[in-house]
Amino acid sequence: MKRGIKTAVLLIIMAVFLVGCESKPDEVAQKMIDDINAIGEVTLDDEDTINNLISTYSTLTDKQKESVNNYDTLLKAKDSLDVLIKKKNEEEQKQKEKEQAELETKLNEKHMKFALIIAKEIRGKLSDPTSFKLLEMAYSDFKNGSICYLVQYSGVNKQGGNADTYVIAITPSSDADLGILYTTEEDSNFNSTLTGINRAIKGDAEAKALGYSEGVYMDVDFITEHMDD
């Protein structure tokens, strides 16, 4: 009986001794354990932290890896992060597609579509097309269904002038036929004369009474940006 008790006591002492001798995580492994525990609820802001921890774990020794007892927590955090990133990418793609659709709608809007054609047409007539700069563009709808565009721009013409005004009328049924009703004389100063159409766009009451609608000014920056789309 006494021998059995001694044996039991010895086994307990050995067990305690073995537990006491079990190695604790070293400084590197312990820091990783603490960093993983600090992640908490995963957000997109944790992307660098999680990726860095995974990268660091791959550099540990086998013994250090065994000491990191919460590595599964890190893997679950990475899975959660991947879900968030996927959702973010999908939302960004949807927004990009929406913006592209809005852009295409604006580019294909009747007045904008013709404005782009006209701007390119005028630029192509200059002796130095690279000098073209759109300053102002407005349109006026005729009561007969035609559209008139007032285009003010700077550029170098054959006589060396550097400013001009075009008044161009087109029919909405045609993308290609630009019927030029009036253009200024291309002298060295690009002098221009106000026509009835020009006056209507500027809000002249008498001209509007003849059937011209008041002019609508367009976004010249947008036209310039998308002339070559």
Coordinates of all heavy atoms in Angstrom, one line a residue, residues 166-209:
Y166 N -17.6 80.9 -84.7 CA -18.4 80.2 -85.7 C -19.8 80.1 -85.3 O -20.1 79.9 -84.1 CB -17.9 78.8 -85.9 CG -16.8 78.6 -87.0 CD1 -15.8 79.4 -87.1 CD2 -16.9 77.5 -87.9 CE1 -14.8 79.3 -88.1 CE2 -16.0 77.3 -88.9 CZ -14.9 78.2 -89.0 OH -14.0 78.0 -89.9
V167 N -20.7 80.2 -86.2 CA -22.1 79.9 -86.0 C -22.5 78.8 -87.0 O -22.4 79.0 -88.2 CB -23.0 81.1 -86.1 CG1 -24.5 80.7 -85.9 CG2 -22.6 82.2 -85.2
I168 N -22.9 77.7 -86.4 CA -23.1 76.5 -87.3 C -24.5 75.9 -87.0 O -24.9 75.8 -85.8 CB -22.0 75.4 -87.0 CG1 -20.6 76.0 -87.3 CG2 -22.3 74.1 -87.7 CD1 -19.5 75.0 -86.9
A169 N -25.2 75.6 -88.0 CA -26.5 75.0 -87.9 C -26.5 73.6 -88.4 O -25.8 73.3 -89.5 CB -27.6 75.8 -88.7
I170 N -27.1 72.7 -87.7 CA -27.2 71.3 -88.2 C -28.6 70.7 -88.0 O -29.4 71.3 -87.3 CB -26.2 70.4 -87.4 CG1 -26.6 70.4 -85.9 CG2 -24.8 70.8 -87.5 CD1 -25.8 69.4 -85.1
T171 N -28.9 69.6 -88.7 CA -30.1 69.0 -88.5 C -29.9 67.7 -87.7 O -29.0 67.0 -87.9 CB -30.7 68.5 -89.9 OG1 -29.7 67.7 -90.5 CG2 -31.0 69.7 -90.7
P172 N -30.8 67.5 -86.7 CA -30.6 66.4 -85.7 C -30.6 65.0 -86.4 O -30.1 64.0 -85.8 CB -31.8 66.5 -84.8 CG -32.2 68.0 -84.9 CD -31.9 68.4 -86.3
S173 N -31.1 64.9 -87.6 CA -31.2 63.6 -88.3 C -29.9 63.2 -88.9 O -29.8 62.0 -89.3 CB -32.2 63.7 -89.4 OG -31.9 64.6 -90.4
S174 N -28.9 64.0 -88.9 CA -27.6 63.7 -89.5 C -26.5 63.9 -88.6 O -26.3 65.0 -88.0 CB -27.4 64.5 -90.8 OG -26.1 64.3 -91.3
D175 N -25.6 62.9 -88.4 CA -24.4 63.1 -87.6 C -23.2 63.7 -88.4 O -22.3 64.2 -87.8 CB -23.9 61.7 -87.1 CG -24.8 61.1 -86.1 OD1 -25.8 61.8 -85.7 OD2 -24.6 60.0 -85.6
A176 N -23.3 63.6 -89.7 CA -22.2 64.0 -90.5 C -22.3 65.3 -91.2 O -21.4 66.1 -91.4 CB -21.9 62.9 -91.6
D177 N -23.5 65.7 -91.7 CA -23.7 66.9 -92.5 C -23.8 68.1 -91.5 O -24.8 68.3 -90.8 CB -25.0 66.8 -93.3 CG -24.9 65.7 -94.3 OD1 -23.8 65.3 -94.7 OD2 -26.0 65.1 -94.7
L178 N -22.8 68.9 -91.6 CA -22.7 70.1 -90.8 C -23.0 71.3 -91.7 O -22.0 71.7 -92.4 CB -21.4 70.2 -90.0 CG -21.0 69.1 -89.1 CD1 -19.7 69.3 -88.5 CD2 -22.1 68.9 -88.0
G179 N -24.2 71.8 -91.7 CA -24.5 72.9 -92.6 C -24.0 74.2 -92.0 O -24.6 74.7 -91.1
I180 N -23.0 74.8 -92.6 CA -22.5 76.0 -92.0 C -23.3 77.2 -92.6 O -23.2 77.5 -93.8 CB -21.0 76.2 -92.3 CG1 -20.2 75.0 -91.7 CG2 -20.4 77.5 -91.8 CD1 -18.7 75.1 -92.0
L181 N -24.1 77.8 -91.7 CA -24.9 78.9 -92.1 C -24.0 80.2 -92.2 O -24.2 81.1 -93.0 CB -26.0 79.2 -91.2 CG -27.1 78.1 -91.1 CD1 -28.2 78.5 -90.2 CD2 -27.6 77.8 -92.5
Y182 N -23.1 80.3 -91.3 CA -22.3 81.5 -91.2 C -21.0 81.3 -90.5 O -20.9 80.6 -89.5 CB -23.1 82.6 -90.4 CG -22.3 83.8 -90.0 CD1 -22.1 84.8 -90.9 CD2 -21.8 83.9 -88.7 CE1 -21.4 85.9 -90.5 CE2 -21.0 85.0 -88.4 CZ -20.8 86.0 -89.3 OH -20.1 87.1 -88.9
T183 N -20.0 81.9 -91.0 CA -18.7 81.9 -90.3 C -18.1 83.3 -90.5 O -18.4 84.0 -91.4 CB -17.7 80.9 -90.9 OG1 -17.3 81.3 -92.2 CG2 -18.3 79.5 -90.9
T184 N -17.3 83.7 -89.5 CA -16.7 85.0 -89.6 C -15.6 84.9 -90.7 O -15.1 83.9 -91.1 CB -16.0 85.4 -88.3 OG1 -15.0 84.4 -88.0 CG2 -17.0 85.4 -87.2
E185 N -15.3 86.1 -91.2 CA -14.2 86.2 -92.2 C -12.9 85.9 -91.4 O -12.7 86.4 -90.4 CB -14.1 87.6 -92.8 CG -15.3 87.9 -93.7 CD -15.3 87.1 -94.9 OE1 -14.2 86.7 -95.4 OE2 -16.4 86.7 -95.4
E186 N -12.1 85.1 -92.0 CA -10.8 84.7 -91.4 C -9.7 85.8 -91.7 O -8.9 85.5 -92.5 CB -10.3 83.3 -91.8 CG -11.1 82.2 -91.1 CD -10.3 80.9 -91.2 OE1 -9.5 80.8 -92.1 OE2 -10.5 80.0 -90.4
D187 N -9.8 86.9 -91.1 CA -8.8 87.9 -91.3 C -7.8 87.7 -90.2 O -7.8 86.8 -89.4 CB -9.4 89.3 -91.3 CG -10.1 89.7 -90.0 OD1 -9.8 89.1 -89.0 OD2 -10.9 90.6 -90.0
S188 N -6.8 88.6 -90.1 CA -5.7 88.4 -89.2 C -6.1 88.5 -87.8 O -5.5 88.1 -86.8 CB -4.6 89.4 -89.5 OG -5.1 90.7 -89.4
N189 N -7.3 89.2 -87.5 CA -7.7 89.4 -86.1 C -8.9 88.5 -85.8 O -9.5 88.6 -84.7 CB -8.1 90.9 -85.9 CG -6.9 91.8 -86.0 OD1 -5.9 91.5 -85.5 ND2 -7.1 92.9 -86.7
F190 N -9.4 87.7 -86.8 CA -10.5 86.9 -86.6 C -11.7 87.7 -86.2 O -12.5 87.4 -85.2 CB -10.3 85.8 -85.5 CG -9.6 84.6 -86.0 CD1 -8.7 84.6 -87.1 CD2 -9.8 83.4 -85.3 CE1 -8.1 83.5 -87.5 CE2 -9.2 82.2 -85.8 CZ -8.3 82.3 -86.8
N191 N -11.9 88.9 -86.8 CA -13.1 89.7 -86.5 C -14.4 89.0 -86.7 O -14.5 88.2 -87.7 CB -13.0 91.0 -87.3 CG -11.9 91.9 -86.9 OD1 -11.5 92.0 -85.8 ND2 -11.3 92.6 -87.9
S192 N -15.4 89.2 -85.9 CA -16.7 88.6 -86.0 C -17.8 89.6 -85.9 O -17.6 90.6 -85.3 CB -16.8 87.5 -84.9 OG -16.8 88.1 -83.6
T193 N -18.9 89.2 -86.5 CA -20.1 90.1 -86.5 C -21.2 89.3 -85.9 O -21.4 88.2 -86.2 CB -20.5 90.5 -87.9 OG1 -19.4 91.2 -88.5 CG2 -21.7 91.5 -87.9
L194 N -22.0 89.9 -85.0 CA -23.1 89.2 -84.4 C -24.2 89.0 -85.4 O -24.7 90.0 -86.1 CB -23.7 90.1 -83.2 CG -22.8 90.1 -82.0 CD1 -23.5 91.0 -80.9 CD2 -22.5 88.8 -81.4
T195 N -24.6 87.8 -85.6 CA -25.7 87.5 -86.5 C -27.0 87.3 -85.7 O -27.0 87.4 -84.4 CB -25.5 86.2 -87.2 OG1 -25.4 85.1 -86.3 CG2 -24.2 86.2 -88.0
G196 N -28.1 87.1 -86.3 CA -29.3 86.9 -85.6 C -29.3 85.7 -84.7 O -29.7 85.7 -83.6
I197 N -28.6 84.6 -85.2 CA -28.4 83.4 -84.4 C -27.6 83.7 -83.1 O -27.9 83.3 -82.0 CB -27.8 82.3 -85.2 CG1 -28.6 82.0 -86.4 CG2 -27.5 81.0 -84.4 CD1 -28.0 81.0 -87.4
N198 N -26.5 84.4 -83.4 CA -25.6 84.8 -82.3 C -26.4 85.6 -81.2 O -26.2 85.4 -80.0 CB -24.4 85.6 -82.8 CG -23.3 85.7 -81.9 OD1 -23.4 85.6 -80.7 ND2 -22.1 85.8 -82.4
R199 N -27.1 86.5 -81.7 CA -27.9 87.4 -80.8 C -28.9 86.6 -80.0 O -29.1 86.8 -78.8 CB -28.6 88.5 -81.5 CG -27.7 89.5 -82.2 CD -28.4 90.8 -82.5 NE -29.8 90.7 -83.0 CZ -30.1 90.5 -84.2 NH1 -29.2 90.5 -85.2 NH2 -31.4 90.4 -84.6
A200 N -29.5 85.6 -80.6 CA -30.5 84.7 -79.9 C -29.8 84.0 -78.8 O -30.3 83.9 -77.7 CB -31.1 83.8 -80.9
I201 N -28.6 83.4 -79.1 CA -27.9 82.7 -78.1 C -27.5 83.6 -76.9 O -27.5 83.2 -75.8 CB -26.7 82.0 -78.7 CG1 -27.1 80.9 -79.6 CG2 -25.7 81.5 -77.6 CD1 -26.0 80.1 -80.3
K202 N -27.2 84.8 -77.2 CA -26.9 85.8 -76.2 C -28.1 86.3 -75.5 O -28.0 87.1 -74.5 CB -26.1 87.0 -76.8 CG -24.7 86.6 -77.3 CD -23.8 86.1 -76.3 CE -22.4 85.9 -76.8 NZ -21.5 85.3 -75.8
G203 N -29.3 85.9 -75.9 CA -30.5 86.3 -75.2 C -31.2 87.5 -75.8 O -32.1 88.1 -75.2
D204 N -31.0 87.8 -77.1 CA -31.6 89.0 -77.7 C -33.1 88.7 -77.9 O -33.5 87.7 -78.6 CB -30.9 89.2 -79.1 CG -31.5 90.5 -79.8 OD1 -32.5 90.3 -80.5 OD2 -31.0 91.6 -79.6
A205 N -34.0 89.6 -77.4 CA -35.4 89.3 -77.5 C -36.0 89.3 -78.9 O -36.8 88.5 -79.2 CB -36.1 90.4 -76.6
E206 N -35.5 90.2 -79.7 CA -36.0 90.3 -81.1 C -35.7 89.0 -81.9 O -36.5 88.5 -82.6 CB -35.3 91.5 -81.8 CG -35.8 91.7 -83.2 CD -35.2 92.9 -83.9 OE1 -34.5 93.7 -83.2 OE2 -35.4 93.1 -85.1
A207 N -34.4 88.5 -81.7 CA -34.1 87.3 -82.4 C -34.9 86.1 -81.9 O -35.3 85.3 -82.7 CB -32.6 87.0 -82.1
K208 N -35.1 86.1 -80.6 CA -36.0 85.0 -80.1 C -37.4 85.0 -80.6 O -38.0 84.0 -80.9 CB -36.0 85.0 -78.5 CG -34.7 84.6 -77.9 CD -34.8 84.3 -76.4 CE -35.1 85.6 -75.7 NZ -35.2 85.4 -74.2
A209 N -37.8 86.2 -80.9 CA -39.2 86.4 -81.4 C -39.2 85.8 -82.9 O -40.3 85.4 -83.3 CB -39.6 87.9 -81.5

